[in-house]
């Protein structure tokens, strides 16, 4: 049979396949090369389209992604201009990590070493004035290797904290404290295989302001300065309160500037000066330090006295001095009077002696004996 | 019966009691002013430095007013002058209670009370000396131990007063307590010794002053005590800070000072007793105690443990206290009876140079070098130098104890034969040494 019948059959089959629905170019037999030569553009396009069609969707999405990423980066606050997808991802990750460090830059680790004695509870006070990242860890002291810990629980109040980092002999949790509510007592409880229980509690608190035990004494009409100090932590601001009955009222020094003067420099201390004191100013005062993580108050007591109070003991001592001086002088006068008659007596005796010596020597011996 | 000399006892012991109270109320009050520093600072907004000048001013006026006290008591007798001085010091403290500015305190507590103290201090010890001869050192030692006693009693008392009555009330009551000086002054009965006219002598002593300044041994004695005073007060002012520097807390540091103060009282009485014994040479004893005090100060920087610091504090306190009564009674040996009163007034005035320079110099050395080693070594050197200068005085190496009055101007009221010291003109001690 001759070639004519073969070529015709191929062409006929191609046309059939194209006309039939559902036919995909991929199903075409391997003689497409020949077909592409025969059929000009369409056919040639198809194989190229075929070859690139599967990567095509990916590419477009890549392009879309690149575009979207670029748009994201354009709108980002840093204004990064990124050209390739790879570096895009890494710089963005880096940026996010930087932002994390900028807000919580103090990172502190607190550890409690537990002894092996069951039933004990060790406590630690931690003072925080501003946001911090804290790691609290409970460790078992090395000398108790025999203790096998079965269960470790970290709790805040009644809430259990799930993510515990364990190393060889310690269990720790990481906390980010940014708010007043996140402060409080965090406890870790270790339960051993023989029913032993060890507990450690961390108390996270704002810095405390010390109360002044002894009252400050001042007098009516005088002025007084009350000082509050925050030893190691600088508060954001200070507020003073006075007590009226059971209420605490804030002192507004700009409103009552001829009565109260609040001096806030340096920031670690605050001075409240009260002028023209009266009995009504007597009582309790509070200085409040505001920190990022909460407030803390200290109590001071002011006592306003009248001058009559020390005047009474003053007059008593004055009276004592006057009495003593009078006594001393009276005693002196009295003892001089006692001496005087004795002196007179001596003089008298001496005069007598002279007289007797003048007369005759017979009596002189007797007078001599009489002399004292 | 032989003509009676100074009683050496009898009413003399009452005088000692009076002088004890006077020493206690003058120096006790001065020392207790430190308690007010915090209160004054809060009330007047002044720093501690400005407030401590109140006490420094009082001390300065006390010392510089020494000659005035001597002169007035020569003219009027000890009793009226001491009573007036007591009244003035009470008045000064009373006015201080009403101060509204720091300057008021300088004037009232510093100047006025200081003047009162000057009028009390010099005649007080003069009276003691007048009533005693052979036991004068012991009597003086007992009298000046009042200052040590009051540093224990008045310090806590003033603290209590400030807590109960505030600083104003505390000053008011301190004024009242100070007025007891008037009562104690009333005890100082004038003593008329034979050979003296009954009326107080006129101050013909004034022309004597220039000659006194040209008196070689006296000048050396004064110089010696200027040096002594330059070192003497350094522990009082800086020991607590030194203890803190070594890491001691407030209470332990204060304990060192209290121990030193107790030893100081003991030293005063002991040295007085020791020197009053018949064979004693005042100048040699004085040299020994001053030298030992200097030695204690030189060794002070070596005290790095609390125990060694305490031991050195006790040693310093004892020796420093011992110097006090001897300083005053030995002057008689140098210048003689007649000029004693004014000699001591002058000496006190010059000594103030040493004491006013000494403590600030120590502070400056500390600021420059960073610790107190240099300060204490300088203080100890001053004391040793002063004590060595005493060696140059006549009568130091001579065998007879207390060859007094051998220089010119014998008083017509001649010393009673047999009395070891020129007993009649009362040895009027005036010196910051008692502080």
């Amino acid at each position: 049979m001759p070639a004519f019948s073969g070529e015709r059959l191929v062409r006929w089959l191609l046309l059939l396949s194209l006309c039939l629905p559902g036919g995909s170019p991929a199903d075409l037999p391997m003689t497409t090369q020949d077909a592409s030569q025969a059929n000009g553009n369409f056919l040639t396009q198809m194989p190229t389209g075929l070859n690139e069609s599967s990567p095509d969707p990916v590419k477009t999405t890549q392009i879309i992604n690149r575009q979207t990423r670029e748009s994201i980066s354009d709108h980002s606050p840093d204004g990064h201009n990124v050209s390739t997808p790879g570096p895009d991802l890494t710089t963005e990750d880096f940026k996010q990590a930087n932002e994390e460090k900028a807000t919580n830059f103090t990172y502190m680790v607190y550890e409690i070493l537990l002894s092996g004695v069951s039933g004990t509870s060790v406590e630690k006070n931690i003072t925080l004035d501003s946001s911090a990242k804290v790691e609290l860890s409970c460790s078992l002291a090395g000398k108790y290797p025999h203790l096998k810990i079965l269960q470790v629980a970290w709790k805040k109040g009644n809430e259990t904290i799930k993510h515990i980092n364990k190393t060889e002999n310690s269990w720790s949790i990481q906390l980010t404290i940014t708010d007043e509510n996140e402060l409080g007592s965090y406890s870790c409880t270790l339960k051993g295989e023989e029913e032993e229980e060890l507990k450690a509690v961390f108390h996270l608190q704002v810095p405390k302001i010390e109360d002044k035990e002894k009252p400050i004494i001042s007098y009516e009409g005088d002025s007084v300065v009350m000082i509050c100090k925050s030893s190691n932590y600088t508060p954001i601001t200070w507020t003073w309160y006075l007590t009226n009955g059971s209420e605490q009222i804030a002192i507004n020094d700009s409103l009552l500037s001829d009565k109260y003067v609040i001096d806030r420099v340096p920031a670690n201390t605050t001075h409240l000066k009260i002028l023209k004191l009266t009995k009504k100013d007597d009582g309790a005062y509070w200085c409040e330090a505001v920190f990022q993580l909460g407030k803390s108050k200290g109590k001071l007591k002011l006592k306003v006295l009248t001058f009559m109070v020390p005047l009474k003991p003053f007059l008593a001592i004055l009276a004592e001095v006057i009495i003593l001086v009078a006594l001393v002088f009276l005693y002196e006068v009295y003892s001089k009077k006692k001496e005087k008659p004795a002196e007179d007596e001596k003089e008298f005796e001496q005069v007598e002696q002279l007289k007797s010596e003048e007369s005759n020597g017979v009596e002189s011996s007797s007078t001599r004996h009489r002399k004292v | 019966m032989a003509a009676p000399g100074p009683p050496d006892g009898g009413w003399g012991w009452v005088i000692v009691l009076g002088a004890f109270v006077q020493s206690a109320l003058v120096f006790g009050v001065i020392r207790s002013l430190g308690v007010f520093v915090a209160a004054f600072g809060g009330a007047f907004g002044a720093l501690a430095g400005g407030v401590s000048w109140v006490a420094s001013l009082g001390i300065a006026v006390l010392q510089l007013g020494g000659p005035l006290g001597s002169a007035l008591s020569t003219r009027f007798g000890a009793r009226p002058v001491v009573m007036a001085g007591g009244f003035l010091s009470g008045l000064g403290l009373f006015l201080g209670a009403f101060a509204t500015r720091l300057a008021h305190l300088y004037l009232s507590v510093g100047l006025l009370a200081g003047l009162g103290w000057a009028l009390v201090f010099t005649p007080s010890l003069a009276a003691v000396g007048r009533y005693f001869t052979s036991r004068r050192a012991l009597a003086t030692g007992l009298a000046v131990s009042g200052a040590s006693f009051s540093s224990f009693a008045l310090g806590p008392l003033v603290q209590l007063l400030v807590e109960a009555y505030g600083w104003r009330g505390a000053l008011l009551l301190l004024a009242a307590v100070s007025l007891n000086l008037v009562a104690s002054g009333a005890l100082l009965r004038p003593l008329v010794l034979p050979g003296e006219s009954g009326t107080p002598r006129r101050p013909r002593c004034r022309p004597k002053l220039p000659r006194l300044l040209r008196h070689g041994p006296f000048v050396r004695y004064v110089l010696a005590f200027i040096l002594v005073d330059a070192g003497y007060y350094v522990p009082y002012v800086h020991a607590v800070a030194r203890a803190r520097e070594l890491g001691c807390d407030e209470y332990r540091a204060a304990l060192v000072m209290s121990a030193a103060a107790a030893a100081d009282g003991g030293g005063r009485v002991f040295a007085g007793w020791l020197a009053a014994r018949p064979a004693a040479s005042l100048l040699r004893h004085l040299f020994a105690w001053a030298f030992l005090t200097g030695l204690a100060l030189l060794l002070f920087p070596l005290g790095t443990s609390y125990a060694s610091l305490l031991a050195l504090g006790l040693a310093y306190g004892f020796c420093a206290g011992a110097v006090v009564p001897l300083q005053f009674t030995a002057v008689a040996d140098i210048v003689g009876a007649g000029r004693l009163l004014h000699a001591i007034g002058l000496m006190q005035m010059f000594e103030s140079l040493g004491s006013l320079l000494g403590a600030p110099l120590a502070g400056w050395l500390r600021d420059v070098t960073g610790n107190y080693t240099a300060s204490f070594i300088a203080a100890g050197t001053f004391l040793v130098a002063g004590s060595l200068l005493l060696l140059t005085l006549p009568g130091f190496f001579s065998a007879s104890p207390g060859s007094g009055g051998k220089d010119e101007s014998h008083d017509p009221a001649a010393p009673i034969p047999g009395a070891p010291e020129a007993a009649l003109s009362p040895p009027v001690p005036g010196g910051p040494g008692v502080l």
Side-chain angles (χ1 to χ4, degrees), chain A residues 230-245:
Chain A
S230 168
S231 39
N232 300 319
Y233 305 94
T234 308
I236 301 170
T237 184
W238 291 92
T239 318
W240 283 92
Y241 296 88
L242 57 85
T243 323
N244 189 350

Side-chain angles (χ1 to χ4, degrees), chain A residues 214-215 217 219 222-223 225 227 273 305 307 309-311 313-314 317-318 320-321 324-325 328-329 331-332 335 339 346, chain B residues 11 42-43 79 83 94 97-98 162-166 168-169 172-173 175-177 179-180 182-183 186-187 189-190:
Chain A
K214 297 187 183 146
I217 314 259
Y219 290 88
D222 198 6
S223 58
V225 175
I227 305 173
K273 187 167 182 177
L305 303 172
F307 257 111
V309 176
L311 200 63
F314 176 80
I317 301 176
L318 196 61
E320 167 248 321
V321 171
L324 280 179
V325 174
V328 170
F329 279 121
Y331 178 73
E332 193 165 320
S335 57
E339 276 176 28
K346 269 197 209 156
Chain B
W11 190 255
R79 182 191 283 186
M83 290 177 79
F94 180 83
F98 297 97
V162 171
E163 284 172 16
Y165 297 104
R168 290 190 193 271
L172 199 68
L173 292 174
V177 170
L179 285 175
N180 280 295
V182 180
L187 290 172
R189 270 191 218 172

Side-chain angles (χ1 to χ4, degrees), chain A residues 21-237:
Chain A
S24 67
D27 296 340
L28 279 171
M30 288 217 300
T31 50
T32 44
Q33 266 183 354
D34 297 339
S36 62
Q37 277 175 7
N39 255 340
N41 284 344
F42 181 72
L43 275 172
T44 47
Q45 267 188 5
M46 273 210 314
T48 51
L50 268 172
N51 280 340
E52 294 178 39
S53 61
S54 36
D56 226 7
V58 182
K59 210 176 189 180
T60 46
T61 48
Q62 266 187 351
I63 293 167
I64 291 165
N65 279 348
R66 196 196 297 149
Q67 279 171 345
T68 46
R69 268 221 199 95
E70 276 179 342
S71 64
I72 287 170
S73 55
D74 282 338
H75 292 307
S76 79
D78 289 333
H80 272 281
N81 230 344
V82 194
S83 49
T84 48
D88 248 3
L89 273 168
T90 48
T91 46
E92 191 140 293
D93 284 348
F94 188 67
K95 239 190 315 143
Q96 271 184 359
N98 264 341
E99 276 162 28
E100 277 182 6
K101 280 186 192 159
T103 50
N104 310 323
F105 83 119
T106 44
Y107 180 81
M108 298 187 285
V109 181
Y110 296 98
E111 189 188 32
I112 290 182
L113 265 177
L114 289 166
S115 65
V117 182
S118 173
T120 54
S121 170
V122 184
E123 305 202 355
K124 193 174 189 132
N125 288 333
I126 299 166
T127 313
L128 295 170
D129 67 327
S130 55
S131 306
K133 243 188 164 176
V134 206
E135 182 179 313
L136 305 175
S137 115
C138 281
S139 315
L140 212 49
K143 51 182 178 170
Y144 300 100
H146 59 278
L147 266 184
K148 203 173 169 202
I149 302 293
L150 291 180
Q151 194 190 54
V152 175
W154 272 100
K155 281 192 190 167
K156 177 182 190 242
N158 282 331
E159 284 173 37
T160 311
I161 300 168
K162 297 204 180 108
H163 193 79
I164 302 177
N165 299 338
K166 186 191 181 313
T167 61
E168 190 184 319
N169 256 343
S170 70
W171 296 260
S172 62
I173 53 166
Q174 287 195 341
L175 303 164
T176 306
I177 314 283
T178 51
D179 186 71
E180 199 173 343
N181 302 322
E182 287 158 8
L183 295 170
S185 300
Y186 291 83
S187 64
C188 80
T189 316
L190 279 68
K191 290 209 178 92
E193 62 181 350
E194 290 166 31
E195 299 298 317
E196 302 127 326
E197 197 176 284
L198 303 170
K199 194 171 176 189
V201 187
F202 295 86
H203 298 286
L204 269 63
Q205 313 160 322
V206 282
K208 287 215 176 80
I209 308 292
E210 273 179 33
D211 289 339
K212 295 262 165 70
E213 289 297 328
K214 297 187 183 146
I216 300 170
I217 314 259
S218 195
Y219 290 88
E220 287 182 351
D222 198 6
S223 58
V224 72
V225 175
M226 297 205 277
I227 305 173
C228 261
K229 282 184 210 161
S230 168
S231 39
N232 300 319
Y233 305 94
T234 308
I236 301 170
T237 184

Side-chain angles (χ1 to χ4, degrees), chain B residues 82-162:
Chain B
V82 172
M83 290 177 79
F87 177 76
L88 283 177
S89 69
L91 185 66
L93 291 169
F94 180 83
L95 291 175
F98 297 97
T100 53
R101 294 166 57 182
L102 199 58
H104 296 172
L105 282 174
Y106 290 147
L107 290 173
S108 58
V109 177
L111 212 58
L112 191 57
L115 182 65
W117 292 326
L119 293 181
V120 167
F121 179 48
T122 309
S124 164
L125 286 166
V128 171
R130 195 164 173 81
Y131 270 77
F132 288 85
T133 90
S134 57
R135 286 198 258 177
R136 185 180 297 136
L138 174 63
T140 311
L142 284 170
V144 299
S145 67
S148 310
F149 168 78
S150 66
S151 65
F152 285 106
L154 272 183
L157 179 68
V158 172
Q159 181 68 30
L160 279 172
L161 288 178
V162 171

